[in-house]
Amino acid sequence: QAHLRIMETTDLHVHVWPYDYYADEATDTLGVARTAALIEAVRAEAGNSILLDNGDFIQGNPMGDYIAYERGMAEGQAHPIVTAMNQIGVEAGTLGNHEFNYGLDFLKNSLAGAGFPLVCANIAVTEGASPAEDETLLPPYIVLDRELVDGAGETHPIRLGIIGFVPPQVMQWDRKHLEGNVSARDIVVAANAWVPKLRDEGVDLVIALCHSGIGAATHSEGMENAAIPLAAVEGIDVILPGHAHLVFPGPDFDGVEGVDNQVGTISGKPAVMAGFWGSHMGLIDLLLERQGDGWTIVSHQ
């Protein structure tokens, strides 16, 4: 058996420092620099951990607008929030809807500085006959080969599959930038196509970076907040929702169908949503058991 700590940031919206640019004053309730202290402490007490980001990072405060509209984002330049994410050791991430606000060239130049892979399974440059045949804007998923140290101090390999999704409404919200350049697939439809391919890569766990909130339990085409039906997709083991700027588990989700707010599951899968602007760090602790060549989840917190 071995423990794996999954840490999440989401909806950072360019909040690098604990500073409220709207009020023009320091604050201790937000900012990656504050969250970094939590991440550092959790990493230090965990033998095995991974840090993932769930999107909406390059837009959202006056510094973000300054970079986009005043300084610019030329090829080879560094975006301050991406630099911060590199600094805290993000190991994989996905796009949020606000990543498209400044256009695809700005996005491409911003992501070029990332020292970690970014994935998105439902934004296509060219659509194929099915989502799994799309030419996607970013890789739909990434396989991370890592090592886990078990309770006896022995080291074992583990393959983590990371897949990402963004609300298809980006095609309306940023139509001027996206129309004629990319298209968006339904989140659950894309997942049903790509997750089996990811599983075929021999992964032990599939973690869904879901830049989408916790909405209706029943899937409908094109839904914005698709976390519950996405979590129900066979082959997904852990889901990290975002987008809604809420905290899960938390009082906002008492009595929601498809959600267990006490044990922290969505459609029976371990889940966490970490607020916004670096207000929280999401944490899922998994107890894994090695059986044959693979790992299974025994319990989670």
Side-chain angles (χ1 to χ4, degrees):
Q1 292 187 331
H3 286 93
L4 175 63
R5 294 199 128 175
I6 301 169
M7 298 178 283
E8 177 215 28
T9 54
T10 190
D11 295 270
L12 295 175
H13 289 288
V14 211
H15 286 82
V16 176
W17 301 111
Y19 197 85
D20 185 334
Y21 289 89
Y22 296 103
D24 195 19
E25 64 184 20
T27 175
D28 62 1
T29 60
L30 56 85
V32 180
R34 299 277 302 180
T35 320
L38 296 174
I39 293 164
E40 191 174 18
V42 169
R43 267 207 197 102
E45 65 187 34
N48 310 295
S49 66
I50 185 169
L51 174 62
L52 305 168
D53 182 79
N54 211 19
D56 272 7
F57 48 89
I58 65 173
Q59 179 277 348
N61 69 10
M63 182 166 72
D65 286 342
Y66 166 76
I67 296 296
Y69 299 128
E70 298 291 330
R71 194 203 74 173
M73 197 61 227
E75 199 171 331
Q77 281 188 304
H79 196 294
I81 189 65
V82 175
T83 301
M85 292 162 77
N86 289 339
Q87 184 68 31
I88 63 173
V90 172
E91 292 176 64
T94 194
L95 302 178
N97 51 290
H98 284 289
E99 262 63 76
F100 299 101
N101 289 171
Y102 304 125
L104 292 174
D105 287 341
F106 184 92
L107 174 59
K108 181 182 76 172
N109 290 341
S110 299
L111 299 188
F116 52 91
L118 287 117
V119 295
C120 187
N122 68 319
I123 300 293
V125 176
T126 307
E127 285 195 6
S130 78
E133 297 167 79
D134 289 351
E135 178 195 345
T136 50
L137 180 68
L138 296 182
Y141 58 75
I142 186 83
V143 176
L144 301 178
D145 285 299
R146 296 287 189 266
E147 290 193 330
L148 285 186
V149 179
D150 68 17
E154 302 279 325
T155 301
H156 308 272
I158 186 170
R159 304 199 88 202
L160 302 174
I162 314 293
I163 189 166
F165 304 92
V166 68
Q169 283 73 14
V170 293
M171 296 308 299
Q172 287 88 54
W173 296 333
D174 278 304
R175 183 176 176 179
K176 65 182 180 191
H177 295 308
L178 301 184
E179 193 173 48
N181 294 312
V182 296
S183 60
R185 295 277 196 179
D186 174 83
I187 288 173
V188 176
V189 170
N192 279 316
W194 284 113
V195 170
K197 283 187 167 291
L198 179 50
R199 277 283 168 197
D200 286 345
E201 304 255 0
V203 295
D204 296 291
L205 293 176
V206 170
I207 302 170
L209 298 178
C210 168
H211 190 86
S212 178
I214 300 168
T218 304
H219 173 244
S220 58
E221 178 69 30
M223 64 196 300
E224 176 184 346
N225 293 305
I228 298 176
L230 177 62
V233 170
E234 186 178 350
I236 290 176
D237 297 295
V238 175
I239 184 163
L240 305 178
H243 181 55
H245 290 204
L246 298 171
V247 174
F248 176 81
D252 291 303
F253 300 101
D254 283 336
V256 174
E257 183 187 352
V259 165
D260 189 323
N261 202 28
Q262 300 308 307
V263 297
T265 58
I266 299 175
S267 298
K269 313 289 177 66
V272 73
M273 185 178 353
F276 63 105
W277 298 3
S279 63
H280 295 71
M281 183 200 74
L283 176 62
I284 297 175
D285 274 331
L286 299 179
L287 176 60
L288 303 173
E289 190 165 87
R290 190 163 176 83
Q291 298 172 341
D293 290 333
W295 295 92
T296 56
I297 299 174
V298 177
S299 63
H300 65 86
Q301 187 174 0

